[in-house]
């Protein structure tokens, strides 16, 4: 049991402030670095971009102090740093194309960042307790599935580069799958908290696995069919893997039963195998994955090969920001932003980036452990795991661990829908962690973990 | 629910560990292989980004890089065009291909160790590093005379300075335009390259130093004669058998003279006369008398079998290792499996011209830095002593007689003493023979030695109408162009 007096000084906001200053400092230095490397001078846009970035961060931090004072102090700095580095790389690629700030993509990314951070701030202000979301479980479910199938609606959906995961609304194109990720996590958490008893207790033991009853198989079969539907109809292996993986992981956390995981992996395997048998676009992806440098694959697409050669040219320490040629790869600023970084900051820099994600996910899982309610635990672990899985799908895709898919790297990749979704995700994690680390408001409620264990840096 | 969350964190750790391994594989383990891939544009771009050195003939650049407005920064151009294509080679997406572009890529690109000191000083002075330039030994007058005289016929012509080994001209027909391979449009370059590569006439092959070697035919008699004179057993006036067809032991076939004529009264001739009229039977007899070792040793002293780089690699000419008597007779007249490059034939003449001393042939006179200061200058270097000065003088006399009275008359130049030897090399029974001519001038003060071959240009029935009539005028044109007036 903790006492209120020992917690009062350990909210972590000063740690957060220090880390935020550090994050903004790195981003500004990287921005200057790019300007000097590409154009030979400190970019004149530094003041505008830097102050814009600084203002967003400062406002966010102040709102944190006001509305989520006990939240985990690492999550916001990590998200800020990743978002900022993404901006730097997008700006760097603009420069390579000869675009200045006004006509390039970096300014739009900055505006989207502001919008997304604004949405996250609004969520923190409006949503005082994450448990409220539980009330909207089935609404979230309907919304999530709706968003997922939206690109299939004729006239609205947009097929781009082989995948049908965009919708077009006037001048804007949007990837509803990104938002669906967050909304579905809310649905899964709410649904599984309700049904976990039925799913985890009943069943027969066969070969050491407690297999679920047939009537409990419904949800996983629905989720599976939906994933396979996404894979086949939207031709998007990444989203398919992400949603199904998210569901299975949350199901496992809710029920603690390995049989669900085994069943899930088996189902997913079968789905992929059948899809590979039946659909040429899946076969094409598999060919590109297994035999990237073959004549046949290169004739289909040399994007993956180019990305890999870019990473190769970066080597251990990279060419230096602004000194490589990441612009030679298509979608260097979105799907292939990781090879872009790999080329310019090298293997060492890429490791640092990946470790930032590891830290972010770890803080999310830590939040889940600290959360005092089942819904919060499930939601936090689901959100954190979705970030890990998405990183794996994206980086694994460009480094040939799995077939290449069209997902974005959270916070780094260019794209508004991705930023909106991931900043919302961060807001939810912050809200849950604030709740988890808050001094026990109700003496009757047991605290599973002493919240001061989550502290990484001690500040007096 | 905490323990499954903890286990989930192991799954996360496993996922990220996989990514650390996969990125390490690409950026550390396979990085070198990836960078060496020919289709790696980044490697190309970084090599294009630096100004490549020029290749100069006199004051004129035959290859130079000009600033390009596109991402490649520099475009390689060839003002010398097809005339110098086999000397320059080409510099394309495929890298430095053939010629000096390839052989001296290190110097031209600036990456050679010889330029290391300069690169360091460039770094400190902030000067843009650029490749070194090459000044060639080529005499444009001789080169152009050779091209004009060859008149597009398939074959090759080489000229060297006998006393220094400097290559004054090197022509190979058919040629190609290196600019078509150095462009920035990958598709066009690929198409041009594939076209040239598939061409049955092999325009990319430098016939002067490489490719499928030629049988030398009678120009090899210079070597046989040198061996004979060096043996001490023969003099220019030694009497030799010269029947219309020489009986070869162990076989039913003989070694016939061209046109099946006897070389003299009573089937007798002298060494001098045999040279003049290119008498096969007399030289076949000589070969068998001297033996395989003597013949091969003499050839080796002229450079046959040597691995030469001028700096392009020269395919070594060869005399077969095992020779029985009839093969020896055929080899002595440049048939059977004797194979030579035109450069090697020019070295036969150059060795004779230079009092028996063969100089190492070379193409680069000096290496210049970007500010045109000399980094390295080639010094004439002796390759070997082919004959004594006395034997060389006797050979010169005999070769002069060839041009004055014999099969080499078409190479005569007014007021200049020209030494030469014709050759008509049969390839097979169907195709016309290769027409050869090699020689030097002036015979009393040699300044230039040449070798010419016109593929399938010769008349197998007459040496005079073959090597003499076809090769002679080309050699004459080159000799005239190379003589200092």
């Amino acid at each position: 049991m903790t006492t209120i007096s020992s917690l009062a000084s350990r909210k972590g906001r000063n740690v957060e402030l220090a880390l935020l200053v550090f994050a903004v400092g790195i981003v500004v230095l990287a921005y200057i670095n790019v300007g000097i490397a590409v154009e030979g001078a400190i970019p004149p846009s530094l003041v505008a971009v830097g102050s814009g970035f600084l203002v967003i961060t400062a406002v966010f931090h102040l709102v944190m102090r006001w509305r989520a004072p006990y939240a985990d102090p690492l999550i916001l700095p990590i998200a800020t740093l990743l978002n900022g580095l993404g901006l730097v790389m997008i700006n760097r690629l603009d420069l390579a194309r000869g675009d200045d700030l006004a006509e390039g993509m970096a300014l739009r990314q900055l505006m989207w960042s502001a919008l997304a951070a604004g949405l996250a701030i609004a969520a923190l202000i409006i949503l005082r307790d994450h448990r409220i979301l539980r009330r909207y479980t089935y609404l979230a479910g309907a919304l999530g599935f709706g968003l997922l199938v939206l690109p299939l609606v004729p006239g609205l959906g947009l097929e781009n580069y082989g995948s049908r995961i965009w919708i077009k609304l006037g001048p804007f194109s949007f990837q509803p799958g990104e938002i669906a990720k967050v909304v579905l996590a809310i649905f899964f958490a709410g649904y599984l908290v309700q049904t976990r008893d039925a799913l985890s207790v009943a069943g027969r033991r066969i070969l050491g696995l407690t297999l679920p009853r047939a009537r409990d198989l419904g949800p996983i079969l629905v989720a599976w069919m939906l994933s396979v539907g996404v894979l086949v109809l939207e031709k998007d292996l990444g989203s398919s893997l992400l949603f199904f993986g998210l569901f299975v992981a949350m199901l496992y956390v809710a029920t603690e039963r390995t049989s669900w995981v085994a069943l899930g992996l088996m189902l997913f395997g079968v789905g992929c195998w059948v899809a590979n048998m039946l659909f040429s676009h899946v076969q094409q992806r598999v060919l590109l994955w297994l035999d990237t440098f073959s004549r046949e694959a290169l004739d289909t697409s040399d994007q993956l090969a180019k990305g890999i050669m870019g990473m190769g040219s970066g080597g251990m320490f990279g060419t230096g920001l602004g000194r490589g040629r990441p612009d030679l790869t298509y979608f260097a600023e979105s799907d292939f932003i990781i090879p872009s970084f790999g080329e310019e900051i090298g293997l060492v820099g890429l490791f640092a980036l990946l470790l930032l994600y590891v830290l972010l996910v770890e803080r999310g899982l830590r939040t889940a452990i600290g959360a005092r309610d089942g819904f919060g635990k499930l939601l936090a672990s689901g959100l954190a795991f979705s970030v890990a899985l998405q990183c794996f799908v994206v980086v694994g895709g460009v480094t040939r661990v799995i077939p290449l898919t069209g997902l974005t790297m959270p916070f780094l990749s260019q794209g508004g829908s991705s930023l909106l979704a991931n900043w919302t995700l961060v807001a939810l994690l912050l809200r849950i962690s604030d709740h988890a680390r808050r001094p026990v408001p109700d003496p009757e409620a047991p605290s599973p973990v002493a919240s001061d264990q989550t502290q990484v840096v001690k500040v007096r | 629910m905490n323990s499954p969350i903890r286990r989930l964190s192991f799954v996360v750790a496993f996922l990220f560990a996989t990514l650390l391994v996969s990125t390490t594989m690409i950026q550390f383990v396979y990085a070198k292989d990836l960078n060496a891939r020919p289709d790696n544009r980044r490697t190309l771009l970084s090599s294009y980004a630096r100004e490549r050195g020029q290749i100069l003939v006199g004051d004129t650049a035959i290859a130079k890089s000009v600033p390009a407005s596109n991402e490649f920064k520099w475009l390689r151009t060839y003002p010398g065009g097809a005339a110098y294509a086999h000397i320059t080679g080409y510099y394309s997406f495929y890298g430095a291909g053939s010629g000096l572009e390839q052989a001296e890529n290190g110097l031209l690109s600036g990456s050679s160790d010889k330029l290391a000191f300069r690169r360091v000083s460039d770094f400190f002075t902030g000067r843009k590093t650029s490749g070194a330039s090459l000044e060639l030994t080529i005499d444009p007058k001789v080169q152009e005379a050779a091209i004009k005289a060859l008149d597009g016929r398939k074959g090759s012509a080489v000229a060297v300075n006998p006393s220094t080994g400097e290559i004054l001209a090197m022509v190979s027909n058919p040629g190609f335009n290196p600019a078509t391979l150095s462009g920035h449009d990958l598709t066009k370059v690929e198409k041009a390259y594939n076209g040239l590569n598939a061409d049955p006439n092999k325009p990319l092959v430098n016939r002067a130093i490489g490719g499928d070697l030629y049988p030398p035919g009678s120009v090899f008699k210079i070597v046989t004669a040198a061996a004979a004179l060096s043996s001490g057993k023969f003099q220019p006036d030694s009497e030799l058998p010269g029947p219309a067809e020489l009986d070869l032991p162990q076989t039913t076939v003989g070694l016939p003279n061209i046109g099946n004529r006897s070389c003299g009264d009573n089937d007798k001739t002298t060494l001098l006369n045999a040279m003049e009229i290119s008498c096969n039977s007399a030289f076949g007899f000589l070969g068998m008398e001297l033996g395989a070792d003597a013949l091969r040793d003499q050839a080796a002293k002229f450079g046959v079998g040597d691995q030469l780089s001028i700096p392009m690699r020269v395919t070594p000419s060869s005399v077969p290792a095992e020779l029985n008597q009839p093969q020896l007779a055929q080899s002595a007249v440049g048939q059977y499996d004797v194979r030579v490059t035109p450069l090697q034939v020019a070295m036969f003449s150059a060795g004779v011209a230079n009092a028996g001393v063969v100089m190492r042939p070379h193409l680069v006179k000096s290496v210049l830095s970007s500010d045109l200061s000399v980094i390295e200058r080639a010094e004439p270097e002796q390759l070997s002593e082919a004959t004594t000065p006395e034997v060389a003088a006797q050979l010169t006399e005999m070769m002069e007689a060839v041009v004055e009275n014999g099969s080499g008359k078409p190479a005569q130049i007014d007021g200049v003493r020209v030494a030469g030897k014709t050759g008509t090399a049969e390839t097979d029974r169907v195709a016309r023979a290769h027409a050869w001519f090699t020689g030097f001038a002036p015979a009393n003060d040699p300044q230039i030695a040449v070798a010419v071959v016109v593929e399938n240009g010769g008349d197998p029935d007459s040496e005079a109408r073959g090597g003499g009539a076809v090769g002679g005028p080309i050699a004459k044109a080159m000799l005239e162009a190379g003589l200092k007036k």
Side-chain angles (χ1 to χ4, degrees):
Chain A
M1 271 301 150
T2 52
T3 60
I4 291 171
S5 61
S6 73
L7 279 167
S9 60
R10 297 193 178 178
K11 292 175 185 170
R13 294 283 68 80
N14 291 335
V15 175
E16 183 181 84
L17 179 62
L19 290 175
L20 279 174
V21 169
F22 184 60
V24 172
I26 290 179
V27 171
V28 167
L29 279 177
Y31 194 84
I32 293 173
N33 182 349
V34 164
I36 290 176
V38 178
E39 311 217 295
I42 293 176
S45 56
L46 176 67
V47 179
V49 173
S51 53
F53 196 63
L54 197 64
V55 166
I56 301 168
T57 311
V59 170
F60 209 130
H61 176 67
L62 289 175
V63 171
M64 290 290 290
R65 281 185 183 268
W66 175 39
R67 278 301 166 114
Y70 292 94
D72 189 293
L74 255 69
I75 294 175
L76 182 59
I78 292 174
T80 305
L81 181 54
L82 289 171
N83 194 152
L85 289 176
L87 263 170
V88 167
M89 182 52 78
I90 292 163
N91 172 61
R92 182 255 171 282
L93 290 162
D94 282 345
L95 294 179
R97 267 184 295 267
D99 294 343
D100 61 15
L101 191 68
E103 55 203 16
M105 286 183 289
L107 187 65
R108 281 178 58 186
Q109 181 79 350
L110 184 62
M111 291 187 323
W112 276 112
S113 303
L115 201 66
L119 193 71
I121 289 168
L124 279 174
I125 294 174
I126 296 165
L127 189 71
R128 303 291 295 271
D129 189 333
H130 63 271
R131 287 172 297 192
I132 297 167
L133 290 173
R134 218 185 134 177
R135 292 183 203 152
Y136 306 108
T137 297
Y138 289 95
L139 185 65
L143 186 64
F145 290 122
L147 283 169
L148 213 49
V149 297
L150 212 52
L152 294 177
V153 177
L156 197 61
L158 191 67
E159 179 149 344
N160 258 350
Y161 316 107
S163 283
R164 197 181 173 94
I165 50 176
W166 282 268
I167 57 166
K168 202 164 168 58
L169 280 175
F172 294 103
S173 60
F174 207 75
Q175 237 174 303
E178 293 280 356
I179 310 290
K181 173 180 70 179
V182 180
V183 177
L184 281 176
I186 296 171
F187 164 66
F188 291 154
Y191 172 81
L192 289 170
V193 155
Q194 266 171 37
T195 52
R196 55 188 291 239
D197 291 342
L199 295 175
S200 60
V201 178
R204 273 176 307 170
R205 270 187 86 75
I206 295 170
L207 294 171
L209 284 178
T210 313
L211 287 187
R213 293 178 303 186
R215 63 175 132 154
D216 294 331
L217 283 174
I220 197 168
L221 287 177
V222 169
W224 175 69
M225 284 191 296
L226 199 75
S227 304
V228 173
V230 167
L231 174 61
V232 170
L233 298 173
E234 302 185 6
K235 307 176 184 177
D236 185 9
L237 177 74
S239 304
S240 169
L241 183 61
L242 183 61
F243 298 130
F244 195 65
L246 175 62
F247 179 72
V248 171
M250 290 179 74
L251 189 60
Y252 172 68
V253 171
T255 62
E256 306 195 16
R257 274 171 58 168
T258 329
S259 57
W260 285 115
V261 178
L263 204 66
L265 289 176
M266 218 171 65
L267 278 173
F268 192 76
V270 169
C272 287
W273 183 68
V274 171
N276 186 35
M277 298 283 286
L278 295 180
F279 303 102
S280 63
H281 65 266
V282 180
Q283 288 158 6
Q284 210 176 66
R285 288 286 168 103
V286 171
L287 168 74
L288 286 170
W289 167 45
L290 293 177
D291 219 356
T292 314
F293 289 97
S294 69
R295 191 74 250 171
E296 206 185 349
L298 287 175
D299 283 345
T300 316
S301 161
D302 60 352
Q303 182 190 22
L304 182 56
K306 280 181 169 172
I308 286 175
M309 288 193 280
M311 291 179 75
S313 78
M316 277 293 275
F317 301 103
T319 57
L321 276 174
R323 297 204 176 271
R325 292 304 303 264
D327 52 307
L328 293 179
T329 312
Y330 326 109
F331 299 105
E333 69 288 330
S334 53
D335 298 2
F336 273 71
I337 201 155
I338 283 294
S340 302
F341 273 107
E343 180 171 356
E344 299 212 320
I345 63 177
L347 184 62
V348 173
L350 211 52
F351 268 32
L353 273 185
L354 288 175
L355 289 179
L356 282 178
Y357 283 101
V358 171
L359 265 177
L360 181 64
V361 173
E362 191 263 342
R363 298 317 286 185
L365 291 176
R366 171 66 69 164
T367 296
I369 285 175
R372 299 183 184 111
D373 63 307
F375 176 74
K377 275 183 188 299
L378 274 174
L379 184 54
S381 53
L383 292 175
F385 188 70
S386 80
V387 172
L389 200 54
Q390 191 159 351
C391 287
F392 178 74
V393 169
V394 173
V395 184
V398 296
T399 58
R400 293 185 60 209
V401 178
I402 58 167
L404 182 65
T405 63
L407 286 187
T408 59
M409 196 66 184
F411 299 107
L412 283 184
S413 289
Q414 180 263 333
S417 27
S418 170
L419 282 177
L420 285 179
N422 287 304
W423 274 108
T424 307
L425 186 153
V426 156
L428 289 176
L429 276 185
L430 287 171
R431 171 51 69 225
I432 300 170
S433 77
D434 176 54
H435 194 265
R437 289 158 42 94
R438 193 177 285 271
V440 183
D442 176 7
E444 266 99 76
S447 167
V449 167
S451 40
D452 54 353
Q453 280 187 358
T454 57
Q455 201 77 30
V456 282
V457 181
K458 282 196 176 175
V459 171
R460 245 172 7 98
Chain B
M1 279 190 274
N2 285 346
S3 61
I5 294 175
R6 287 206 174 86
R7 267 176 246 138
L8 198 59
S9 70
F10 287 116
V11 175
V12 170
F14 173 75
L15 292 182
F16 277 97
T18 311
L19 298 181
L20 296 185
V21 171
S22 71
T23 47
T24 306
M25 291 308 279
I26 293 173
Q27 298 206 258
F28 183 69
V29 181
Y30 294 132
K32 220 176 161 179
D33 296 345
L34 287 168
N35 289 334
R37 286 186 62 83
D39 55 349
N40 192 332
R41 262 168 91 81
R42 282 175 181 80
T43 311
L44 273 173
L45 286 173
S46 65
S47 62
Y48 270 68
R50 206 149 40 166
E51 182 181 5
R52 219 172 147 76
Q54 304 188 350
I55 301 177
L56 299 160
V57 168
D59 294 334
T60 316
I62 55 171
K64 67 174 176 183
S65 294
V66 296
S69 50
N70 58 20
E71 57 176 341
F72 297 107
K73 297 199 174 70
W74 294 98
L75 174 66
R76 193 68 166 163
T77 60
Y78 296 92
Y84 291 93
H86 290 104
I87 294 171
T88 56
Y90 56 88
Y91 181 68
S92 77
F93 284 105
Y94 298 100
S98 82
L100 287 168
E101 294 278 27
Q102 185 180 49
E104 292 292 22
N105 185 38
L107 286 171
L108 289 167
S109 69
S111 65
S112 165
D113 289 341
K114 288 179 190 163
L115 305 173
F117 174 72
R118 191 160 291 271
R119 274 203 305 276
V120 171
S121 76
D122 284 348
F123 179 78
F124 284 111
T125 57
R127 192 169 41 195
K128 263 230 156 73
T129 303
S130 58
S133 293
L134 307 176
E135 191 188 357
L136 303 190
T137 57
I138 294 290
D139 180 338
K141 284 189 308 220
V142 183
Q143 178 85 1
E144 276 146 33
I147 291 165
K148 197 168 163 231
L150 264 173
D151 196 21
R153 282 171 291 181
K154 235 195 279 183
S156 174
V158 178
V160 297
N161 181 333
S163 58
T164 60
E166 291 180 339
I167 295 172
L168 302 173
M170 188 163 72
V171 180
S172 174
N173 269 348
F176 63 98
N177 185 356
T180 59
L181 300 177
S182 69
H184 284 167
D185 184 333
L186 181 57
T187 328
K188 265 192 195 161
V189 169
E190 202 170 6
K191 213 175 145 201
Y193 179 80
N194 289 341
L196 289 168
N197 208 25
D199 190 330
N201 289 325
K202 299 187 178 167
L204 289 177
V205 170
N206 184 353
R207 290 166 153 79
I209 57 169
D212 301 331
L213 303 185
Y214 297 102
S218 301
V219 291
F220 195 71
K221 287 172 185 163
I222 296 172
V223 177
T224 311
L229 295 170
S230 300
S231 72
K233 288 186 270 184
F234 299 93
Q235 294 299 318
D237 54 2
S238 298
E239 195 177 67
L240 301 171
E245 182 171 321
L246 182 68
D247 278 336
L248 295 180
Q250 306 159 30
T251 63
T252 52
V253 295
L255 179 67
N257 284 331
I258 282 181
N260 249 341
R261 281 182 295 270
S262 169
C263 297
D265 300 335
N266 304 323
D267 288 351
K268 299 273 185 205
T269 181
T270 61
L271 180 52
L272 175 67
N273 188 50
M275 190 80 160
E276 262 179 43
I277 60 170
S278 203
C279 174
N280 283 346
S281 52
F283 275 91
F285 166 80
L286 269 182
M288 292 192 286
E289 281 291 303
L290 295 165
D293 290 342
L295 194 64
R296 216 173 15 248
D297 286 352
Q298 184 62 65
K301 284 179 180 170
F302 276 104
V304 171
D306 283 357
Q307 300 272 0
L308 295 174
S309 54
I310 60 168
M312 292 92 96
R313 208 182 76 84
V314 182
T315 311
S317 302
S318 64
V319 174
E322 296 287 328
L323 289 173
N324 61 26
Q325 284 298 95
Q327 289 166 348
L328 186 54
Q330 287 177 326
S331 298
V333 298
Q335 294 290 164
Y336 188 54
D337 281 343
V338 178
R339 293 291 179 272
V340 294
T341 57
L343 176 67
Q344 177 60 62
V345 174
M347 286 160 69
F348 293 157
S349 283
V352 174
N354 196 37
V357 175
V358 182
M359 303 301 288
R360 187 179 287 280
H362 61 275
L363 199 50
V364 178
K365 190 186 283 174
S366 50
V367 179
L368 310 172
S369 72
S370 49
D371 56 15
L372 296 184
S373 62
V374 176
I375 296 173
E376 196 179 72
R377 196 187 293 281
E379 295 295 330
E381 193 187 330
Q382 185 177 324
L383 180 70
S384 61
E385 276 176 41
T387 67
T388 61
E390 293 72 37
V391 169
Q394 287 172 325
L395 286 168
T396 303
E397 232 170 85
M398 290 162 68
M399 288 170 70
E400 266 191 273
V402 170
V403 176
E404 206 162 314
N405 314 314
S407 56
K409 281 178 187 161
Q412 288 173 354
I413 302 172
D414 284 345
V416 179
R417 287 162 65 187
V418 178
K421 181 72 195 84
T422 56
T424 305
E426 287 173 41
T427 47
D428 55 59
R429 275 167 237 295
V430 189
R432 282 160 61 83
H434 296 329
W436 279 100
F437 191 95
T438 182
F440 57 91
N444 47 341
D445 173 26
Q447 293 168 8
I448 171 172
V450 300
V452 177
V453 61
V454 176
E455 283 179 33
N456 310 119
D459 185 334
D461 294 331
S462 161
E463 184 98 351
R465 278 184 278 132
V470 177
I474 303 169
K476 178 187 171 179
M478 292 168 73
L479 292 172
E480 276 181 327
L483 291 176
K484 296 185 188 83
K485 306 258 154 58

